[in-house]
């Protein structure tokens, strides 16, 4: 039996986001965001027509869920502050009721011995800014920095760890290239502009944090998806992986940690006439305001090969430089359609250690979404999710090895401690230690994995 010991103070916890757990709950004056709008326009785009109306009902049920999270061993919890709940309009009017809700949540977390980690943006653009172009519009960037200032002013006395954006690449990628997020646009040049303005918004939020003299730490959460090519001996495949890495990892990793964009990414954008509108002064803001730490969301690797024939596309798409492939016999999470490759976490750690100054980082999301978990209910009505324990252990072994080899990882968060709403996948896949019956929100229940995670968290260790 092997024991894996983690250092004292290692963060064990979980993450969710405002839109995915709170429910729309507009009674306090929350304004619509892109998810409310998209659902109104096209409910059929969401699995079984389930929209963001109720989600995990955290808005009403946060006290119970927070208590239950602590029982699962969650000692730190990241959620996001919903821009449209805190700021009511383009004039920046602050909604005191929205602020009051987040104060109550933070207090409840602290009362239960859970460290709150707050994220300023998790895919939730308010409609009043989307109407102006969202992050294609420079004014939205200033408005985001102003929103960040309001949040620091309110909460930084109680909250020591902050995040500017969760997975910033997702908005340009899924909203402006691959048609999975609102506004469902496919245009490489617009995607590049959105990506640049999101990076600028993140850097300006870091700048504001420092200007206001906040004493905690501010980071960014990236879905660093390690890219592997089919044949490392084939130079064309290596180049394909290099390009995919530039687009999907380094486009935010380099400016956030090193303060500058990779020259090869800029060159590709130039070749495709896709360089965003920018100003020298903005690049200086990005240069000066790098993050204190990184959050890493890891679910699956990216597997690429060189293109066998040119991409037919009217617009510039990153896929011009690579194709995806699925290796034979790879392990899959069939519910989600994602490959399971635990070593990816180790490779991420080594990359950060060797190429990004070994900046402190934590795993901000990892987890296994499983469909139809009802089939695993035992006689007592508990989900027997041994597969989730195995999934976590498999990842923690590699994380432990990375740390033993000098990687600067200080925590591990599960997505998500309780079942939550997964965007257009709605409640299809369940991730939690805590089961939520969407027909009976008032009675969340523990799954088998909850007690196991509690033991890991209490002892900072697990055994094989
Ligand atoms: C991450 C997001 C989360 C969450 C998670 C699980 O990329 O930050 O918001 O949703 O993925 O993925 P999904 O919900 O698509 O199953």
């Amino acid at each position: 039996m092997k024991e894996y010991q983690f250092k004292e103070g290692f963060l064990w916890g979980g993450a969710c986001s405002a839109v995915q757990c709170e429910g729309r709950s507009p009674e306090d004056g929350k304004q619509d965001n892109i998810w409310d709008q998209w659902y109104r326009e096209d409910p059929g785009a969401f699995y079984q027509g389930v929209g963001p109306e109720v989600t995990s009902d955290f808005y009403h049920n946060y006290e119970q869920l927070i208590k239950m999270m602590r029982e699962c061993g969650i000692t730190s919890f990241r959620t996001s502050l919903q821009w449209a709940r805190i700021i009511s309009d383009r004039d920046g009017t602050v909604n005191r009721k929205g602020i009051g809700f987040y104060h109550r949540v933070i207090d409840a977390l602290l009362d239960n011995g859970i460290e709150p980690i707050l994220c300023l943006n998790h895919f939730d653009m308010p409609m009043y800014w989307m109407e102006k172009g969202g992050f294609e519009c420079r004014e939205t960037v200033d408005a985001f920095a102003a929103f960040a200032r309001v949040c620091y002013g309110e909460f930084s006395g109680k909250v020591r760890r902050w995040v500017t954006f969760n997975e910033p690449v997702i908005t340009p990628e899924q909203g402006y290239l691959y048609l999975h997020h609102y506004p469902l646009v496919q245009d490489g040049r617009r995607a590049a502009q959105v990506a640049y303005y999101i990076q600028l918004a993140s850097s300006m939020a870091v700048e504001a944090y420092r200007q206001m003299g906040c004493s905690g730490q501010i980071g960014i959460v990236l879905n660093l998806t390690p890219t592997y090519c089919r044949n490392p001996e084939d130079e064309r495949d290596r180049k394909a992986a290099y390009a995919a890495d530039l687009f999907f990892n380094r486009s935010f990793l380099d400016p956030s940690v090193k303060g500058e964009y990779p020259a090869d990414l800029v060159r590709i954008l130039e070749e495709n006439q896709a360089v965003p509108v920018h100003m020298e002064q903005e690049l200086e803001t990005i240069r000066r305001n790098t993050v204190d730490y990184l959050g890493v969301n890891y679910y699956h690797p990216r597997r690429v090969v060189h293109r066998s024939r040119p991409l037919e596309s009217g617009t510039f798409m990153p896929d011009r430089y690579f194709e995806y492939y699925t290796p034979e016999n790879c392990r899959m999470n069939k519910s989600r359609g994602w490959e399971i490759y635990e070593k990816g976490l180790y490779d991420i750690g080594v990359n950060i250690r060797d190429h990004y100054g070994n900046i402190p980082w934590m795993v901000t999301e990892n987890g296994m979404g499983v469909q139809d978990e009802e089939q695993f209910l035992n006689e007592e009505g508990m989900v027997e999710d041994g597969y989730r324990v195995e999934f976590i252990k498999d990842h923690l072994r590699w994380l432990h090895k990375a740390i033993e080899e000098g990687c600067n990882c200080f925590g591990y968060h599960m997505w998500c401690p309780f079942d939550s709403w997964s965007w257009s996948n709605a409640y299809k896949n369940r991730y939690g230690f805590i089961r939520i019956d969407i027909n009976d929100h008032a009675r969340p229940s523990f799954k088998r994995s909850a007690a196991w995670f509690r033991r890991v968290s209490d002892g900072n260790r697990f055994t094989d």
Side-chain angles (χ1 to χ4, degrees):
M1 211 163 65
K2 183 162 178 201
E3 190 174 87
Y4 297 83
Q5 182 73 48
F6 289 78
K7 60 177 181 266
E8 195 60 37
F10 192 81
L11 298 187
W12 297 101
C16 197
S17 79
V19 175
Q20 292 176 275
C21 71
E22 288 170 9
R24 185 163 155 252
S25 312
E27 62 265 29
D28 68 1
K30 183 186 99 55
Q31 303 301 307
D32 279 351
N33 59 46
I34 51 174
W35 298 96
D36 303 317
Q37 179 65 23
W38 187 15
Y39 183 61
R40 192 168 301 131
E41 285 174 19
D42 186 9
F46 296 80
Y47 182 71
Q48 295 181 336
V50 176
E53 282 294 317
V54 185
T55 64
S56 317
D57 203 24
F58 190 76
Y59 190 82
H60 300 107
N61 206 14
Y62 67 91
E63 284 179 308
Q64 184 184 16
L65 286 171
I66 287 172
K67 281 202 180 78
M68 289 181 77
M69 282 201 287
R70 185 62 193 86
E71 284 183 51
C72 303
I74 302 293
T75 54
S76 52
F77 178 62
R78 171 173 65 106
T79 187
S80 61
L81 299 167
Q82 212 177 145
W83 192 350
R85 198 183 286 291
I86 290 185
I87 305 291
S88 304
D89 50 32
R90 286 200 297 271
D91 294 330
T93 309
V94 175
N95 174 21
R96 294 304 318 169
K97 286 191 181 160
I99 296 270
F101 165 66
Y102 291 112
H103 271 299
R104 292 196 296 281
V105 169
I106 293 166
D107 292 344
L109 288 166
L110 293 169
D111 288 349
N112 282 280
I114 301 178
E115 179 192 342
I117 300 180
L118 292 184
C119 175
L120 295 166
N121 189 279
H122 196 128
F123 312 161
D124 61 322
M125 174 64 65
M127 276 316 291
Y128 53 76
W129 279 115
M130 195 67 231
E131 283 156 10
K132 288 279 174 188
F135 277 120
E136 283 183 88
C137 161
R138 181 63 178 78
E139 257 184 287
T140 309
V141 179
D142 289 331
F144 179 78
F147 160 62
R149 283 178 188 271
V150 170
C151 296
Y152 305 147
E154 284 293 334
F155 308 119
S156 67
K158 300 177 183 175
V159 176
R160 314 276 304 157
R161 260 184 266 253
W162 290 79
V163 172
T164 59
F165 279 80
N166 175 79
E167 300 190 354
V169 78
I170 291 294
T171 297
E173 181 186 316
Q174 303 300 345
Y176 292 82
L177 287 172
Y178 300 111
L179 307 174
H180 292 134
H181 281 201
Y182 205 78
L184 305 165
V185 166
Q186 188 163 69
D187 185 320
R189 293 187 185 111
R190 289 172 67 182
Q193 186 68 56
V194 167
Y196 169 68
Y197 275 160
I198 291 179
Q199 177 60 54
L200 179 62
S202 173
S203 304
M204 285 170 66
V206 172
E207 180 178 49
Y209 191 75
R210 305 218 168 107
Q211 282 172 349
M212 286 175 69
C214 303
S215 56
Q217 295 203 315
I218 188 152
I220 190 165
V221 166
L222 303 179
N223 46 322
L224 293 184
T225 309
T227 312
Y228 304 101
C229 65
R230 186 167 55 192
N231 180 7
E233 305 295 312
D234 184 333
E235 197 195 344
R236 295 167 308 167
D237 279 6
R238 286 203 306 275
K239 278 187 173 164
Y242 180 74
D245 193 47
L246 285 174
F247 285 118
F248 299 115
N249 293 325
R250 297 185 59 195
S251 52
F252 285 94
L253 180 59
D254 283 40
S256 293
V257 176
K258 296 182 172 173
E260 53 191 34
Y261 283 98
D264 287 338
L265 179 61
V266 175
R267 187 183 45 72
I268 290 178
L269 294 178
E270 280 167 0
E271 272 168 24
N272 290 282
Q273 292 85 48
V275 176
V277 174
H278 64 282
M279 287 174 14
E280 189 46 43
Q281 197 190 340
E282 295 168 348
L283 295 177
E284 187 55 27
T285 301
I286 292 172
R287 250 191 300 279
R288 284 167 185 253
N289 293 288
T290 54
V291 291
D292 297 319
Y293 73 97
L294 264 183
V296 174
N297 294 351
Y298 178 65
Y299 291 92
H300 58 84
R302 175 179 283 109
R303 306 275 184 188
V304 301
V305 59
H306 68 275
R307 285 211 73 83
S308 47
R309 56 192 140 85
L311 181 72
E312 305 278 329
S313 159
T315 182
F316 154 57
M317 298 289 283
D319 314 51
R320 194 170 276 181
Y321 296 87
F322 58 85
E323 274 176 25
Y324 289 105
Y325 83 101
T326 306
E328 270 173 46
N329 305 323
C330 70
R331 283 170 57 220
M332 293 293 282
N333 170 1
K334 293 204 179 70
S335 301
R336 191 62 184 81
W338 281 343
E339 182 186 345
I340 301 176
Y341 184 67
E342 308 82 1
K343 180 173 175 283
L345 206 46
Y346 169 83
D347 291 341
I348 290 170
V350 168
N351 183 38
I352 295 174
R353 184 193 66 195
D354 295 349
H355 301 114
Y356 292 89
N358 210 13
I359 183 171
W361 64 283
M362 64 176 285
V363 178
T364 32
E365 288 181 29
N366 182 223
M368 191 180 188
V370 173
Q371 196 172 351
D372 299 329
E373 278 200 318
E374 295 71 28
Q375 64 184 300
F376 305 113
L377 283 170
N378 66 17
E379 280 169 6
E380 284 88 53
M382 177 185 267
V383 174
E384 294 283 356
D385 57 345
Y387 46 84
R388 182 160 287 115
V389 170
E390 290 311 313
F391 178 96
I392 301 172
K393 273 187 176 178
D394 288 347
H395 285 81
L396 284 178
R397 273 188 214 104
W398 280 105
L399 186 62
H400 188 268
K401 177 172 161 61
I403 295 169
E404 278 193 327
E405 293 176 20
C407 297
N408 206 355
C409 176
F410 62 87
Y412 178 81
H413 273 194
M414 291 307 297
W415 183 270
C416 163
F418 45 84
D419 291 343
S420 64
W421 184 78
S422 278
W423 314 111
S424 53
N425 271 338
Y427 270 94
K428 177 170 173 272
N429 301 312
R430 304 307 188 91
Y431 285 85
F433 296 132
I434 299 167
R435 172 174 159 74
I436 292 190
D437 179 344
I438 59 168
N439 300 311
D440 183 6
H441 279 83
R443 286 194 301 167
S445 59
F446 291 113
K447 301 180 194 174
R448 180 66 72 197
S449 54
W452 177 81
F453 195 75
R454 171 75 193 238
R455 286 196 296 280
V456 175
S457 166
D458 283 354
N460 272 320
R461 65 168 182 272
F462 74 98
T463 44
D464 262 340

